[in-house]
Amino acid sequence: MRVTAKRLMQQLSVVGCANGLAGRQLGCESAAAVLKKSVHMDQCRIPMRWQALVKEVDSGRHLQAIPGVAQTMRDLAQETAAALRREGEVLVVAGDHSSAIGTWSGVASAMRNHGDVGLIWVDAHMDAHTPDSSPTGNIHGMPVAHLLGFGDRNLSTIGDDLPKLKPENLCLVGIRSFEPAEQELLDRLGVRVFFMEEVERRGIQDVMQEALHHVTRQTSAFGMSIDIDGFDVVDAPAVGTPEKGGIRAGDFLQSLLSLDLRGLVATEIVEFLPRFDDEHKTSERLVVNLIETIYQTKRHQTDATASILRRAMS
């Protein structure tokens, strides 16, 4: 799916999802609405157009949430796929990370005729449980398994019956909290996991370069799913499942500047829990900084490529 110079002049299409029932704590469901009205988002140097705000279907909590989550994810997948087909790129701002089931099912559907999609998954957690292995029943801890084709078929077959991701096209970055069942599944499938220890040893820039290479080797495009609990709690205090340590946000933002983002078709940012933010709106500002850095970098790179091609053809 080619991104033309004309598309670069358009506003970035944003799909929101007000989901939070699949998380450990309620509150993430308000993230999209808070960000949509945010003065910091309004000041973002990337012009945006909100295409839709998907509302959550409530069927209960924990495993009882599966029917509601499945319907919410079908709605999100439909909106995501429509925006991607129409605009060539999409940003999803959602609540808890179960949203990834809908986001990347939609991206896979939109891209089926173009090839496989790669995904960089930035998170403190593996999110690779199934309903059978999860000790909590919280579905926000299950999206990776379902995108790979495992777990409850109501969640793994949204859009079509095929897995949305191939294991060799997926990387997890910043992992520091997981259970044995999750690691066993990902190890068996050969998914590349950059644990936090490796990130600290090599630096996030080196890790992200390798992750990008990994997810673009055999794919037509790639995406990023960013759970802000992947960052140090100092930089992202407003999360429901904080973990000690984490990626420093400034280092991550700096690493994005050196990545080739021209093939990026979708970004998802999740797990912002507004009522836990501090007086400086640190987490809210982080979300805006992520959007601005990712899409300014991509647009500069695409502009430069288009300029070179114009000169070569003149």
Side-chain angles (χ1 to χ4, degrees):
M1 185 177 291
R2 297 176 62 191
V3 179
T4 65
K6 182 179 179 181
R7 279 194 180 127
L8 292 175
M9 303 303 294
Q10 297 175 346
Q11 294 173 312
L12 175 63
S13 291
V14 184
V15 174
C17 186
N19 65 308
L21 289 168
R24 179 191 295 178
Q25 301 198 53
L26 296 176
C28 286
E29 63 275 9
S30 66
V34 167
L35 288 164
K36 188 176 180 181
K37 296 184 295 184
S38 164
V39 63
H40 304 298
M41 187 73 96
D42 191 53
Q43 294 169 352
C44 182
R45 286 175 284 184
I46 297 297
M48 286 175 270
R49 181 173 66 254
W50 289 77
Q51 301 284 358
L53 180 59
V54 176
K55 295 182 179 180
E56 186 169 41
V57 177
D58 185 353
S59 65
R61 295 272 281 151
H62 311 298
L63 295 182
Q64 291 181 346
I66 288 177
V69 170
Q71 183 56 58
T72 306
M73 294 308 108
R74 283 191 288 270
D75 295 342
L76 177 57
Q78 183 176 12
E79 294 290 351
T80 301
L84 182 52
R85 289 189 181 107
R86 184 172 57 247
E87 307 294 344
E89 64 180 1
V90 63
L91 167 68
V92 175
V93 176
D96 73 66
H97 216 166
S98 68
S99 64
I101 297 170
T103 296
W104 303 105
S105 293
V107 171
S109 294
M111 297 297 295
R112 283 292 185 210
N113 294 333
H114 302 274
D116 293 330
V117 176
L119 182 61
I120 298 175
W121 184 279
V122 179
D123 203 324
H125 310 93
M126 284 185 171
D127 289 355
H129 275 298
T130 66
D132 290 334
S133 72
S134 172
T136 66
N138 293 329
I139 303 169
H140 77 158
M142 307 182 195
V144 168
H146 286 91
L147 291 169
L148 291 167
F150 297 87
D152 190 292
R153 283 185 56 81
N154 291 301
L155 300 175
S156 65
T157 60
I158 291 172
D160 56 37
D161 291 340
L162 298 173
K164 315 313 171 194
L165 298 170
K166 292 180 179 178
E168 61 268 26
N169 299 331
L170 172 65
C171 277
L172 278 63
V173 176
I175 304 302
R176 58 193 187 276
S177 176
F178 55 92
E179 279 79 46
E182 298 177 283
Q183 185 172 18
E184 289 167 10
L185 175 63
L186 298 187
D187 284 350
R188 175 161 56 86
L189 296 173
V191 173
R192 179 67 166 100
V193 178
F194 295 93
F195 293 97
M196 195 59 215
E197 293 88 342
E198 182 173 358
V199 174
E200 291 172 341
R201 185 177 72 253
R202 295 176 56 186
I204 188 60
Q205 183 165 335
D206 193 28
V207 165
M208 287 297 289
Q209 287 287 353
E210 183 180 335
L212 178 63
H213 172 72
H214 191 92
V215 304
T216 56
R217 297 171 304 166
Q218 306 173 75
T219 60
S220 61
F222 78 99
M224 290 192 288
S225 185
I226 302 174
D227 182 332
I228 66 168
D229 72 24
F231 299 107
D232 192 296
V233 69
V234 171
D235 302 317
V239 296
T241 52
E243 302 292 346
K244 184 179 179 181
I247 303 165
R248 290 309 307 258
D251 295 339
F252 184 81
L253 292 168
Q254 185 68 32
S255 77
L256 293 171
L257 301 177
S258 63
L259 294 184
D260 183 353
L261 300 180
R262 290 173 297 173
L264 178 74
V265 294
T267 304
E268 175 183 47
I269 302 177
V270 302
E271 294 283 354
F272 169 46
L273 208 163
R275 64 186 169 90
F276 287 169
D277 215 354
D278 59 23
E279 61 180 334
H280 304 294
K281 302 295 183 183
T282 299
S283 299
E284 188 175 311
R285 288 172 181 266
L286 173 58
V287 173
V288 176
N289 287 338
L290 286 165
I291 296 167
E292 195 168 80
T293 304
I294 290 166
Y295 286 98
Q296 280 196 318
T297 301
K298 178 183 176 182
R299 291 181 179 191
H300 288 157
Q301 291 170 348
T302 310
D303 275 344
T305 300
S307 178
I308 292 169
L309 289 174
R310 284 195 300 270
R311 289 198 301 270
M313 297 174 66
S314 62

mmCIF file of all heavy atoms in Angstrom, residues 4-52:
data_model
loop_
_atom_site.group_PDB
_atom_site.id
_atom_site.type_symbol
_atom_site.label_atom_id
_atom_site.label_comp_id
_atom_site.label_asym_id
_atom_site.label_seq_id
_atom_site.Cartn_x
_atom_site.Cartn_y
_atom_site.Cartn_z
ATOM 1 N N THR A 4 1.395 8.174 -0.795
ATOM 2 C CA THR A 4 1.740 9.195 -1.768
ATOM 3 C C THR A 4 2.014 10.526 -1.092
ATOM 4 O O THR A 4 1.663 10.758 0.068
ATOM 5 C CB THR A 4 0.597 9.379 -2.772
ATOM 6 O OG1 THR A 4 -0.538 9.897 -2.077
ATOM 7 C CG2 THR A 4 0.226 8.066 -3.430
ATOM 8 N N ALA A 5 2.631 11.444 -1.864
ATOM 9 C CA ALA A 5 2.890 12.790 -1.333
ATOM 10 C C ALA A 5 1.595 13.488 -0.979
ATOM 11 O O ALA A 5 1.516 14.250 -0.018
ATOM 12 C CB ALA A 5 3.674 13.594 -2.368
ATOM 13 N N LYS A 6 0.547 13.219 -1.762
ATOM 14 C CA LYS A 6 -0.750 13.829 -1.474
ATOM 15 C C LYS A 6 -1.254 13.411 -0.104
ATOM 16 O O LYS A 6 -1.801 14.209 0.655
ATOM 17 C CB LYS A 6 -1.761 13.430 -2.552
ATOM 18 C CG LYS A 6 -3.137 14.050 -2.358
ATOM 19 C CD LYS A 6 -4.079 13.623 -3.468
ATOM 20 C CE LYS A 6 -5.478 14.231 -3.261
ATOM 21 N NZ LYS A 6 -6.401 13.809 -4.322
ATOM 22 N N ARG A 7 -1.049 12.135 0.247
ATOM 23 C CA ARG A 7 -1.512 11.657 1.543
ATOM 24 C C ARG A 7 -0.786 12.358 2.685
ATOM 25 O O ARG A 7 -1.329 12.517 3.782
ATOM 26 C CB ARG A 7 -1.303 10.141 1.650
ATOM 27 C CG ARG A 7 -2.402 9.343 0.967
ATOM 28 C CD ARG A 7 -2.314 7.896 1.398
ATOM 29 N NE ARG A 7 -3.373 7.122 0.744
ATOM 30 C CZ ARG A 7 -3.174 6.021 0.040
ATOM 31 N NH1 ARG A 7 -1.967 5.556 -0.110
ATOM 32 N NH2 ARG A 7 -4.181 5.375 -0.504
ATOM 33 N N LEU A 8 0.484 12.729 2.446
ATOM 34 C CA LEU A 8 1.246 13.370 3.504
ATOM 35 C C LEU A 8 0.649 14.702 3.915
ATOM 36 O O LEU A 8 0.863 15.179 5.022
ATOM 37 C CB LEU A 8 2.690 13.556 3.044
ATOM 38 C CG LEU A 8 3.506 12.265 2.875
ATOM 39 C CD1 LEU A 8 4.862 12.597 2.295
ATOM 40 C CD2 LEU A 8 3.637 11.540 4.184
ATOM 41 N N MET A 9 -0.091 15.350 3.003
ATOM 42 C CA MET A 9 -0.696 16.635 3.298
ATOM 43 C C MET A 9 -2.010 16.483 4.058
ATOM 44 O O MET A 9 -2.552 17.445 4.564
ATOM 45 C CB MET A 9 -0.941 17.394 1.992
ATOM 46 C CG MET A 9 0.327 17.602 1.160
ATOM 47 S SD MET A 9 1.621 18.476 2.073
ATOM 48 C CE MET A 9 0.821 20.080 2.268
ATOM 49 N N GLN A 10 -2.512 15.276 4.133
ATOM 50 C CA GLN A 10 -3.778 15.046 4.808
ATOM 51 C C GLN A 10 -3.567 14.910 6.312
ATOM 52 O O GLN A 10 -2.470 14.644 6.787
ATOM 53 C CB GLN A 10 -4.441 13.781 4.254
ATOM 54 C CG GLN A 10 -4.805 13.872 2.777
ATOM 55 C CD GLN A 10 -5.340 12.558 2.247
ATOM 56 O OE1 GLN A 10 -5.207 11.531 2.881
ATOM 57 N NE2 GLN A 10 -5.947 12.604 1.087
ATOM 58 N N GLN A 11 -4.653 15.037 7.019
ATOM 59 C CA GLN A 11 -4.605 14.822 8.457
ATOM 60 C C GLN A 11 -4.447 13.333 8.749
ATOM 61 O O GLN A 11 -4.901 12.479 7.987
ATOM 62 C CB GLN A 11 -5.890 15.342 9.091
ATOM 63 C CG GLN A 11 -6.058 16.850 8.985
ATOM 64 C CD GLN A 11 -7.416 17.295 9.467
ATOM 65 O OE1 GLN A 11 -8.436 16.735 9.089
ATOM 66 N NE2 GLN A 11 -7.430 18.320 10.305
ATOM 67 N N LEU A 12 -3.805 13.041 9.860
ATOM 68 C CA LEU A 12 -3.647 11.665 10.296
ATOM 69 C C LEU A 12 -4.992 11.143 10.785
ATOM 70 O O LEU A 12 -5.629 11.753 11.643
ATOM 71 C CB LEU A 12 -2.608 11.595 11.413
ATOM 72 C CG LEU A 12 -2.382 10.233 12.077
ATOM 73 C CD1 LEU A 12 -1.844 9.221 11.073
ATOM 74 C CD2 LEU A 12 -1.417 10.388 13.253
ATOM 75 N N SER A 13 -5.420 10.018 10.253
ATOM 76 C CA SER A 13 -6.692 9.424 10.664
ATOM 77 C C SER A 13 -6.529 8.715 12.002
ATOM 78 O O SER A 13 -5.633 7.883 12.172
ATOM 79 C CB SER A 13 -7.177 8.419 9.612
ATOM 80 O OG SER A 13 -7.563 9.080 8.445
ATOM 81 N N VAL A 14 -7.408 9.054 12.946
ATOM 82 C CA VAL A 14 -7.352 8.488 14.288
ATOM 83 C C VAL A 14 -8.647 7.744 14.583
ATOM 84 O O VAL A 14 -9.741 8.268 14.350
ATOM 85 C CB VAL A 14 -7.147 9.586 15.356
ATOM 86 C CG1 VAL A 14 -6.995 8.950 16.744
ATOM 87 C CG2 VAL A 14 -5.947 10.454 15.021
ATOM 88 N N VAL A 15 -8.509 6.524 15.077
ATOM 89 C CA VAL A 15 -9.647 5.746 15.557
ATOM 90 C C VAL A 15 -9.470 5.562 17.060
ATOM 91 O O VAL A 15 -8.419 5.094 17.517
ATOM 92 C CB VAL A 15 -9.738 4.375 14.864
ATOM 93 C CG1 VAL A 15 -10.853 3.521 15.489
ATOM 94 C CG2 VAL A 15 -9.977 4.550 13.366
ATOM 95 N N GLY A 16 -10.452 5.950 17.831
ATOM 96 C CA GLY A 16 -10.416 5.761 19.276
ATOM 97 C C GLY A 16 -11.218 4.549 19.684
ATOM 98 O O GLY A 16 -12.145 4.132 18.974
ATOM 99 N N CYS A 17 -10.851 3.971 20.812
ATOM 100 C CA CYS A 17 -11.620 2.845 21.355
ATOM 101 C C CYS A 17 -11.727 3.020 22.867
ATOM 102 O O CYS A 17 -10.709 3.065 23.570
ATOM 103 C CB CYS A 17 -10.963 1.514 21.020
ATOM 104 S SG CYS A 17 -11.942 0.072 21.518
ATOM 105 N N ALA A 18 -12.950 3.121 23.355
ATOM 106 C CA ALA A 18 -13.201 3.379 24.780
ATOM 107 C C ALA A 18 -13.364 2.069 25.531
ATOM 108 O O ALA A 18 -14.427 1.762 26.072
ATOM 109 C CB ALA A 18 -14.444 4.246 24.937
ATOM 110 N N ASN A 19 -12.296 1.280 25.573
ATOM 111 C CA ASN A 19 -12.363 -0.035 26.211
ATOM 112 C C ASN A 19 -11.523 -0.072 27.486
ATOM 113 O O ASN A 19 -10.427 0.483 27.533
ATOM 114 C CB ASN A 19 -11.887 -1.126 25.249
ATOM 115 C CG ASN A 19 -10.416 -0.986 24.882
ATOM 116 O OD1 ASN A 19 -9.970 0.075 24.457
ATOM 117 N ND2 ASN A 19 -9.664 -2.051 25.043
ATOM 118 N N GLY A 20 -12.057 -0.738 28.523
ATOM 119 C CA GLY A 20 -11.332 -0.851 29.775
ATOM 120 C C GLY A 20 -11.727 -2.043 30.614
ATOM 121 O O GLY A 20 -11.049 -2.376 31.590
ATOM 122 N N LEU A 21 -12.798 -2.728 30.229
ATOM 123 C CA LEU A 21 -13.307 -3.843 31.032
ATOM 124 C C LEU A 21 -12.376 -5.046 31.051
ATOM 125 O O LEU A 21 -12.461 -5.890 31.952
ATOM 126 C CB LEU A 21 -14.685 -4.269 30.520
ATOM 127 C CG LEU A 21 -15.819 -3.286 30.800
ATOM 128 C CD1 LEU A 21 -17.059 -3.657 29.996
ATOM 129 C CD2 LEU A 21 -16.144 -3.253 32.295
ATOM 130 N N ALA A 22 -11.471 -5.143 30.068
ATOM 131 C CA ALA A 22 -10.567 -6.289 29.990
ATOM 132 C C ALA A 22 -9.274 -6.057 30.751
ATOM 133 O O ALA A 22 -8.400 -6.931 30.772
ATOM 134 C CB ALA A 22 -10.255 -6.616 28.528
ATOM 135 N N GLY A 23 -9.137 -4.891 31.391
ATOM 136 C CA GLY A 23 -7.922 -4.572 32.121
ATOM 137 C C GLY A 23 -7.991 -4.954 33.584
ATOM 138 O O GLY A 23 -9.033 -5.376 34.095
ATOM 139 N N ARG A 24 -6.864 -4.783 34.269
ATOM 140 C CA ARG A 24 -6.821 -5.071 35.707
ATOM 141 C C ARG A 24 -7.644 -4.049 36.479
ATOM 142 O O ARG A 24 -8.361 -4.389 37.422
ATOM 143 C CB ARG A 24 -5.372 -5.052 36.209
ATOM 144 C CG ARG A 24 -5.267 -5.319 37.712
ATOM 145 C CD ARG A 24 -3.858 -5.038 38.232
ATOM 146 N NE ARG A 24 -2.877 -5.957 37.661
ATOM 147 C CZ ARG A 24 -1.575 -5.884 37.927
ATOM 148 N NH1 ARG A 24 -1.108 -4.929 38.731
ATOM 149 N NH2 ARG A 24 -0.729 -6.736 37.380
ATOM 150 N N GLN A 25 -7.516 -2.775 36.099
ATOM 151 C CA GLN A 25 -8.247 -1.707 36.760
ATOM 152 C C GLN A 25 -9.071 -0.941 35.739
ATOM 153 O O GLN A 25 -8.655 -0.755 34.603
ATOM 154 C CB GLN A 25 -7.274 -0.736 37.443
ATOM 155 C CG GLN A 25 -6.391 -1.388 38.484
ATOM 156 C CD GLN A 25 -5.771 -0.368 39.415
ATOM 157 O OE1 GLN A 25 -6.471 0.450 40.013
ATOM 158 N NE2 GLN A 25 -4.458 -0.418 39.561
ATOM 159 N N LEU A 26 -10.242 -0.495 36.158
ATOM 160 C CA LEU A 26 -11.071 0.309 35.276
ATOM 161 C C LEU A 26 -10.500 1.724 35.177
ATOM 162 O O LEU A 26 -9.845 2.207 36.096
ATOM 163 C CB LEU A 26 -12.504 0.353 35.803
ATOM 164 C CG LEU A 26 -13.250 -0.976 35.829
ATOM 165 C CD1 LEU A 26 -14.618 -0.799 36.477
ATOM 166 C CD2 LEU A 26 -13.397 -1.550 34.430
ATOM 167 N N GLY A 27 -10.759 2.367 34.052
ATOM 168 C CA GLY A 27 -10.313 3.743 33.867
ATOM 169 C C GLY A 27 -9.717 4.010 32.502
ATOM 170 O O GLY A 27 -9.802 5.130 31.986
ATOM 171 N N CYS A 28 -9.111 2.989 31.893
ATOM 172 C CA CYS A 28 -8.524 3.181 30.564
ATOM 173 C C CYS A 28 -9.578 3.497 29.506
ATOM 174 O O CYS A 28 -9.261 4.072 28.465
ATOM 175 C CB CYS A 28 -7.755 1.930 30.141
ATOM 176 S SG CYS A 28 -6.173 1.705 30.977
ATOM 177 N N GLU A 29 -10.819 3.140 29.797
ATOM 178 C CA GLU A 29 -11.881 3.387 28.819
ATOM 179 C C GLU A 29 -12.093 4.877 28.553
ATOM 180 O O GLU A 29 -12.661 5.257 27.529
ATOM 181 C CB GLU A 29 -13.196 2.746 29.270
ATOM 182 C CG GLU A 29 -13.783 3.291 30.549
ATOM 183 C CD GLU A 29 -13.231 2.658 31.810
ATOM 184 O OE1 GLU A 29 -12.248 1.879 31.736
ATOM 185 O OE2 GLU A 29 -13.784 2.945 32.896
ATOM 186 N N SER A 30 -11.607 5.732 29.443
ATOM 187 C CA SER A 30 -11.761 7.175 29.249
ATOM 188 C C SER A 30 -10.590 7.801 28.496
ATOM 189 O O SER A 30 -10.623 8.997 28.174
ATOM 190 C CB SER A 30 -11.922 7.877 30.603
ATOM 191 O OG SER A 30 -10.732 7.772 31.364
ATOM 192 N N ALA A 31 -9.551 7.014 28.192
ATOM 193 C CA ALA A 31 -8.319 7.576 27.635
ATOM 194 C C ALA A 31 -8.551 8.295 26.310
ATOM 195 O O ALA A 31 -8.070 9.423 26.111
ATOM 196 C CB ALA A 31 -7.267 6.479 27.456
ATOM 197 N N ALA A 32 -9.266 7.653 25.387
ATOM 198 C CA ALA A 32 -9.448 8.263 24.062
ATOM 199 C C ALA A 32 -10.204 9.582 24.167
ATOM 200 O O ALA A 32 -9.836 10.571 23.515
ATOM 201 C CB ALA A 32 -10.171 7.284 23.135
ATOM 202 N N ALA A 33 -11.244 9.616 24.989
ATOM 203 C CA ALA A 33 -12.026 10.842 25.127
ATOM 204 C C ALA A 33 -11.203 11.948 25.774
ATOM 205 O O ALA A 33 -11.278 13.123 25.373
ATOM 206 C CB ALA A 33 -13.286 10.569 25.954
ATOM 207 N N VAL A 34 -10.405 11.600 26.788
ATOM 208 C CA VAL A 34 -9.551 12.591 27.443
ATOM 209 C C VAL A 34 -8.539 13.151 26.458
ATOM 210 O O VAL A 34 -8.318 14.375 26.386
ATOM 211 C CB VAL A 34 -8.840 11.967 28.667
ATOM 212 C CG1 VAL A 34 -7.725 12.872 29.175
ATOM 213 C CG2 VAL A 34 -9.846 11.691 29.778
ATOM 214 N N LEU A 35 -7.920 12.276 25.682
ATOM 215 C CA LEU A 35 -6.911 12.727 24.724
ATOM 216 C C LEU A 35 -7.524 13.545 23.595
ATOM 217 O O LEU A 35 -6.920 14.506 23.120
ATOM 218 C CB LEU A 35 -6.156 11.520 24.164
ATOM 219 C CG LEU A 35 -5.193 10.868 25.167
ATOM 220 C CD1 LEU A 35 -4.782 9.482 24.698
ATOM 221 C CD2 LEU A 35 -3.957 11.743 25.371
ATOM 222 N N LYS A 36 -8.715 13.172 23.186
ATOM 223 C CA LYS A 36 -9.375 13.920 22.109
ATOM 224 C C LYS A 36 -9.608 15.368 22.514
ATOM 225 O O LYS A 36 -9.536 16.284 21.684
ATOM 226 C CB LYS A 36 -10.699 13.244 21.746
ATOM 227 C CG LYS A 36 -11.383 13.819 20.526
ATOM 228 C CD LYS A 36 -12.640 13.035 20.180
ATOM 229 C CE LYS A 36 -13.314 13.625 18.938
ATOM 230 N NZ LYS A 36 -14.558 12.873 18.594
ATOM 231 N N LYS A 37 -9.863 15.607 23.810
ATOM 232 C CA LYS A 37 -10.125 16.961 24.309
ATOM 233 C C LYS A 37 -8.882 17.632 24.886
ATOM 234 O O LYS A 37 -8.948 18.780 25.329
ATOM 235 C CB LYS A 37 -11.217 16.911 25.389
ATOM 236 C CG LYS A 37 -12.575 16.434 24.887
ATOM 237 C CD LYS A 37 -13.621 16.510 25.977
ATOM 238 C CE LYS A 37 -13.328 15.555 27.113
ATOM 239 N NZ LYS A 37 -14.404 15.548 28.154
ATOM 240 N N SER A 38 -7.760 16.921 24.871
ATOM 241 C CA SER A 38 -6.555 17.395 25.532
ATOM 242 C C SER A 38 -5.974 18.638 24.864
ATOM 243 O O SER A 38 -5.829 18.692 23.635
ATOM 244 C CB SER A 38 -5.502 16.281 25.530
ATOM 245 O OG SER A 38 -4.225 16.774 25.827
ATOM 246 N N VAL A 39 -5.585 19.615 25.664
ATOM 247 C CA VAL A 39 -4.921 20.797 25.128
ATOM 248 C C VAL A 39 -3.567 20.417 24.545
ATOM 249 O O VAL A 39 -3.101 21.007 23.561
ATOM 250 C CB VAL A 39 -4.768 21.872 26.225
ATOM 251 C CG1 VAL A 39 -3.881 21.387 27.370
ATOM 252 C CG2 VAL A 39 -4.220 23.158 25.641
ATOM 253 N N HIS A 40 -2.930 19.410 25.120
ATOM 254 C CA HIS A 40 -1.641 18.960 24.607
ATOM 255 C C HIS A 40 -1.806 18.292 23.241
ATOM 256 O O HIS A 40 -0.988 18.502 22.343
ATOM 257 C CB HIS A 40 -0.978 18.009 25.595
ATOM 258 C CG HIS A 40 -0.809 18.594 26.958
ATOM 259 N ND1 HIS A 40 -0.036 19.718 27.190
ATOM 260 C CD2 HIS A 40 -1.331 18.232 28.162
ATOM 261 C CE1 HIS A 40 -0.076 20.018 28.482
ATOM 262 N NE2 HIS A 40 -0.859 19.133 29.090
ATOM 263 N N MET A 41 -2.855 17.511 23.076
ATOM 264 C CA MET A 41 -3.127 16.899 21.778
ATOM 265 C C MET A 41 -3.474 17.982 20.760
ATOM 266 O O MET A 41 -3.072 17.899 19.591
ATOM 267 C CB MET A 41 -4.272 15.896 21.905
ATOM 268 C CG MET A 41 -4.519 15.072 20.649
ATOM 269 S SD MET A 41 -3.250 13.825 20.374
ATOM 270 C CE MET A 41 -4.050 12.394 21.105
ATOM 271 N N ASP A 42 -4.194 18.981 21.202
ATOM 272 C CA ASP A 42 -4.570 20.072 20.303
ATOM 273 C C ASP A 42 -3.345 20.838 19.799
ATOM 274 O O ASP A 42 -3.353 21.387 18.694
ATOM 275 C CB ASP A 42 -5.525 21.024 21.028
ATOM 276 C CG ASP A 42 -6.175 22.030 20.098
ATOM 277 O OD1 ASP A 42 -6.767 21.601 19.091
ATOM 278 O OD2 ASP A 42 -6.074 23.237 20.365
ATOM 279 N N GLN A 43 -2.291 20.838 20.591
ATOM 280 C CA GLN A 43 -1.059 21.539 20.223
ATOM 281 C C GLN A 43 -0.084 20.649 19.450
ATOM 282 O O GLN A 43 0.982 21.120 19.037
ATOM 283 C CB GLN A 43 -0.374 22.078 21.484
ATOM 284 C CG GLN A 43 -1.171 23.162 22.194
ATOM 285 C CD GLN A 43 -0.620 23.507 23.559
ATOM 286 O OE1 GLN A 43 0.287 22.842 24.080
ATOM 287 N NE2 GLN A 43 -1.162 24.555 24.170
ATOM 288 N N CYS A 44 -0.444 19.384 19.259
ATOM 289 C CA CYS A 44 0.423 18.461 18.533
ATOM 290 C C CYS A 44 0.674 18.976 17.119
ATOM 291 O O CYS A 44 -0.241 19.463 16.449
ATOM 292 C CB CYS A 44 -0.226 17.074 18.481
ATOM 293 S SG CYS A 44 0.776 15.820 17.652
ATOM 294 N N ARG A 45 1.907 18.850 16.661
ATOM 295 C CA ARG A 45 2.280 19.359 15.346
ATOM 296 C C ARG A 45 1.886 18.427 14.200
ATOM 297 O O ARG A 45 2.163 18.738 13.045
ATOM 298 C CB ARG A 45 3.782 19.648 15.317
ATOM 299 C CG ARG A 45 4.156 20.903 16.104
ATOM 300 C CD ARG A 45 5.642 21.109 16.167
ATOM 301 N NE ARG A 45 6.266 20.196 17.119
ATOM 302 C CZ ARG A 45 7.569 20.218 17.430
ATOM 303 N NH1 ARG A 45 8.371 21.098 16.855
ATOM 304 N NH2 ARG A 45 8.052 19.370 18.320
ATOM 305 N N ILE A 46 1.243 17.340 14.524
ATOM 306 C CA ILE A 46 0.679 16.459 13.503
ATOM 307 C C ILE A 46 -0.826 16.705 13.453
ATOM 308 O O ILE A 46 -1.542 16.434 14.427
ATOM 309 C CB ILE A 46 0.951 14.973 13.827
ATOM 310 C CG1 ILE A 46 2.449 14.691 13.827
ATOM 311 C CG2 ILE A 46 0.238 14.061 12.840
ATOM 312 C CD1 ILE A 46 3.134 14.893 12.492
ATOM 313 N N PRO A 47 -1.345 17.225 12.341
ATOM 314 C CA PRO A 47 -2.797 17.423 12.253
ATOM 315 C C PRO A 47 -3.522 16.084 12.232
ATOM 316 O O PRO A 47 -3.099 15.150 11.533
ATOM 317 C CB PRO A 47 -2.974 18.179 10.928
ATOM 318 C CG PRO A 47 -1.760 17.844 10.131
ATOM 319 C CD PRO A 47 -0.654 17.647 11.117
ATOM 320 N N MET A 48 -4.589 15.987 13.006
ATOM 321 C CA MET A 48 -5.309 14.718 13.143
ATOM 322 C C MET A 48 -6.797 14.901 12.898
ATOM 323 O O MET A 48 -7.352 15.964 13.164
ATOM 324 C CB MET A 48 -5.081 14.139 14.543
ATOM 325 C CG MET A 48 -3.707 13.545 14.761
ATOM 326 S SD MET A 48 -3.452 13.007 16.468
ATOM 327 C CE MET A 48 -2.771 14.494 17.201
ATOM 328 N N ARG A 49 -7.409 13.845 12.422
ATOM 329 C CA ARG A 49 -8.859 13.807 12.244
ATOM 330 C C ARG A 49 -9.383 12.531 12.882
ATOM 331 O O ARG A 49 -8.999 11.429 12.492
ATOM 332 C CB ARG A 49 -9.230 13.851 10.762
ATOM 333 C CG ARG A 49 -10.742 13.835 10.519
ATOM 334 C CD ARG A 49 -11.096 14.050 9.055
ATOM 335 N NE ARG A 49 -10.642 12.952 8.218
ATOM 336 C CZ ARG A 49 -9.604 13.004 7.388
ATOM 337 N NH1 ARG A 49 -8.865 14.107 7.305
ATOM 338 N NH2 ARG A 49 -9.262 11.968 6.652
ATOM 339 N N TRP A 50 -10.235 12.675 13.886
ATOM 340 C CA TRP A 50 -10.816 11.512 14.561
ATOM 341 C C TRP A 50 -11.921 10.929 13.678
ATOM 342 O O TRP A 50 -12.931 11.579 13.432
ATOM 343 C CB TRP A 50 -11.357 11.908 15.930
ATOM 344 C CG TRP A 50 -10.260 12.204 16.914
ATOM 345 C CD1 TRP A 50 -9.501 13.338 16.976
ATOM 346 C CD2 TRP A 50 -9.790 11.348 17.947
ATOM 347 N NE1 TRP A 50 -8.583 13.243 17.994
ATOM 348 C CE2 TRP A 50 -8.732 12.033 18.617
ATOM 349 C CE3 TRP A 50 -10.145 10.072 18.397
ATOM 350 C CZ2 TRP A 50 -8.052 11.480 19.690
ATOM 351 C CZ3 TRP A 50 -9.466 9.523 19.469
ATOM 352 C CH2 TRP A 50 -8.423 10.220 20.113
ATOM 353 N N GLN A 51 -11.707 9.716 13.229
ATOM 354 C CA GLN A 51 -12.664 9.058 12.337
ATOM 355 C C GLN A 51 -13.815 8.411 13.093
ATOM 356 O O GLN A 51 -14.946 8.364 12.602
ATOM 357 C CB GLN A 51 -11.945 7.980 11.497
ATOM 358 C CG GLN A 51 -10.819 8.508 10.634
ATOM 359 C CD GLN A 51 -11.326 9.232 9.404
ATOM 360 O OE1 GLN A 51 -12.514 9.324 9.167
ATOM 361 N NE2 GLN A 51 -10.411 9.755 8.609
ATOM 362 N N ALA A 52 -13.515 7.871 14.257
ATOM 363 C CA ALA A 52 -14.542 7.144 15.019
ATOM 364 C C ALA A 52 -14.069 6.987 16.458
ATOM 365 O O ALA A 52 -12.869 7.023 16.738
ATOM 366 C CB ALA A 52 -14.801 5.776 14.400
#
